[in-house]
Amino acid sequence: MLTTQETREGEKLVLGLNNLTGRTMVLNRPKALNSLTLPMVQTIQRYLADWEKSDLCDVVMLRSNNRKAFCAGGDVVQVSRDWREGNKAQAMEFFRTEYKVNHHIATYKKPIVAMLDGFTMGGGVGLSVHAPFRVASENAVFAMPETKIGFFPDVGATFFLPRLDGELGVYLGLTGQKLKGRDLLYAGIATHYVPSERHALLEQRLQGLGTSDYDAINLAIEEFVAQPETTESEDFVGVANDVPIDFSLASVRDVIDICFKFNTIEAILQALTEVANQPGPACEWAQKTYAQLNQMSPSSLKLTLEQLRRGAQLDIQKAFEFELVLAGRRLESHDMHEGIDALLVRKTNDAAWDPENVHAVDIKELYSQYFEGEYDSTPLYLGGTSFMEYPHKFGLPTEQEILDVVSGESPQVGNFSLTCGEVIDFFMREYRSKMGVEQKVNWVLSRRTKLKDTDGTLEVIDS
């Protein structure tokens, strides 16, 4: 139950705007980069509930009041303080309410459009990544940096990270690596790329659209997208080449799968060491990534890897329930409070992890602590539907979808051999010539296929 003071605070920090048939939530805590407090999350929860029932609302939008940050995360400093001061119920209420809001966004009965302009991290990812429409700008900066504060990627990361291409989600969840601008589109985080200067016009367009039809909203957003910045290349013809794509991880995309396919942190570190010791373009990346992982809480790394492996088999509802259990147990740890204090309070970035390295983390003890036994907590009681895959697909095709068309495993194509041009044409038709589709399909084909016959048809290269 919200107190009057909390309601007023929440409404001041999350503005609710009505215009025609559009409703917009504006995050309004700029000095804290829109970090979420409990009253803010409770206010978002109330807006969502009210607008979902309103016959006057067709579409809900979520944006920030400035270009520096959409939302830089949850106010974990306050959560840690509450827990250590004995107010454990208040600390858990933040996570419980936040996860309910995230789940509500994922299962919302009306279209939600999240405008990602500026830092989009942690809790900000939870407010956006589950929405059917995620519009990134050149200012967008995505990251899930929780292992650096001794926590784990939450707000539904259990569900969405394992469903990104290959091992990309595991890499992002363990390292906290940042993605910027168009990266979000090609990684599958965003569904559209629209320059920041066009966001206001896009919001006006959606407010006056007068429909809750998802396809109509998608086409309206497509009116504002920007052309890819890279130079067009000739279609891939069967010899691996450097197909231009504006994705910062393009050159190491396959190496990410090679290094992060393992089920132990020790094996991942060993794979990175082997790549780092070999000449080639991935050497520097492997050295940097190894160093990144060594900065993180060792127990958080092992917890996160197991969390994401299990998350691939969980539906959206069970994923959030799982995270609430993990959050409660992680709050009892040394590393979470030490990490928050070192990075966000002292700002010395010198956390004294316990255990101090991954080899000292007893995996059996970690499993017993986080993945076994009963948990004494009020359950989430999530309503709405659940699913194993997001019901709305307005982003670019996944790498697996592209390869399924080549291999004949896609029911939409059947077991027919196709050339590169035919595969690209298929996806351009299916995605209505969506910006970025041709670039991603061409890029995936250049990496993962080869010529099968002299007629130019392709086959998938075994990974």
Side-chain angles (χ1 to χ4, degrees), residues 47-49 51-52 60 104-112 214:
Y47 282 140
L48 287 172
W51 293 343
E52 191 172 35
V60 172
H104 197 179
I105 290 171
T107 58
Y108 208 61
K109 296 176 183 177
K110 293 180 179 180
I112 295 180
Y214 286 83

Side-chain angles (χ1 to χ4, degrees), residues 231-291:
T231 304
E232 294 291 336
S233 69
E234 294 182 3
D235 285 349
F236 166 64
V237 293
V239 180
N241 52 33
D242 293 326
V243 172
I245 184 170
D246 194 11
F247 184 28
S248 65
L249 298 177
S251 64
V252 294
R253 175 63 196 86
D254 293 328
V255 186
I256 287 173
D257 284 358
I258 291 171
C259 293
F260 284 83
K261 66 183 178 182
F262 300 100
N263 292 326
T264 68
I265 297 298
E266 291 88 343
I268 290 173
L269 291 172
Q270 178 59 36
L272 288 168
T273 300
E274 292 174 2
V275 173
N277 289 332
Q278 298 173 1
C283 174
E284 183 179 349
W285 168 84
Q287 293 172 350
K288 174 187 172 185
T289 304
Y290 189 98

Side-chain angles (χ1 to χ4, degrees), residues 228-427:
E229 290 183 349
T230 51
T231 304
E232 294 291 336
S233 69
E234 294 182 3
D235 285 349
F236 166 64
V237 293
V239 180
N241 52 33
D242 293 326
V243 172
I245 184 170
D246 194 11
F247 184 28
S248 65
L249 298 177
S251 64
V252 294
R253 175 63 196 86
D254 293 328
V255 186
I256 287 173
D257 284 358
I258 291 171
C259 293
F260 284 83
K261 66 183 178 182
F262 300 100
N263 292 326
T264 68
I265 297 298
E266 291 88 343
I268 290 173
L269 291 172
Q270 178 59 36
L272 288 168
T273 300
E274 292 174 2
V275 173
N277 289 332
Q278 298 173 1
C283 174
E284 183 179 349
W285 168 84
Q287 293 172 350
K288 174 187 172 185
T289 304
Y290 189 98
Q292 279 180 298
L293 292 177
N294 276 328
Q295 293 177 354
M296 309 306 179
S297 160
S299 58
S300 283
L301 290 176
K302 290 199 171 183
L303 168 60
T304 296
L305 182 58
E306 180 65 19
Q307 165 209 355
L308 298 182
R309 293 298 185 224
R310 296 189 181 207
Q313 308 303 320
L314 297 178
D315 64 34
I316 189 76
Q317 182 169 326
K318 287 187 174 68
F320 282 113
E321 292 171 345
F322 179 48
E323 288 183 356
L324 186 64
V325 172
L326 294 183
R329 295 183 177 182
R330 196 60 182 166
L331 277 166
E332 297 173 350
S333 72
H334 161 273
D335 275 13
M336 179 175 177
H337 303 289
E338 169 64 13
I340 290 171
D341 194 46
L343 188 67
L344 302 176
V345 180
R346 300 195 309 265
K347 299 184 179 180
T348 53
N349 199 20
D350 60 350
W353 304 123
D354 183 19
E356 63 181 359
N357 60 64
V358 295
H359 302 289
V361 178
D362 187 321
I363 194 67
K364 290 184 179 179
E365 182 179 332
L366 184 132
Y367 278 18
S368 175
Q369 184 176 359
Y370 292 99
F371 302 108
E372 298 173 4
E374 298 294 324
Y375 181 66
D376 183 18
S377 173
T378 305
L380 281 174
Y381 295 119
L382 298 172
T385 58
S386 195
F387 45 77
M388 289 296 296
E389 298 291 340
Y390 288 111
H392 303 292
K393 297 183 181 296
F394 294 104
L396 301 182
T398 66
E399 292 186 9
Q400 192 59 54
E401 287 169 342
I402 296 167
L403 297 179
D404 283 348
V405 167
V406 176
S407 66
E409 296 179 32
S410 171
Q412 295 174 286
V413 175
N415 191 20
F416 294 99
S417 297
L418 301 176
T419 66
C420 175
E422 289 170 338
V423 175
I424 292 174
D425 288 345
F426 168 79
F427 280 101

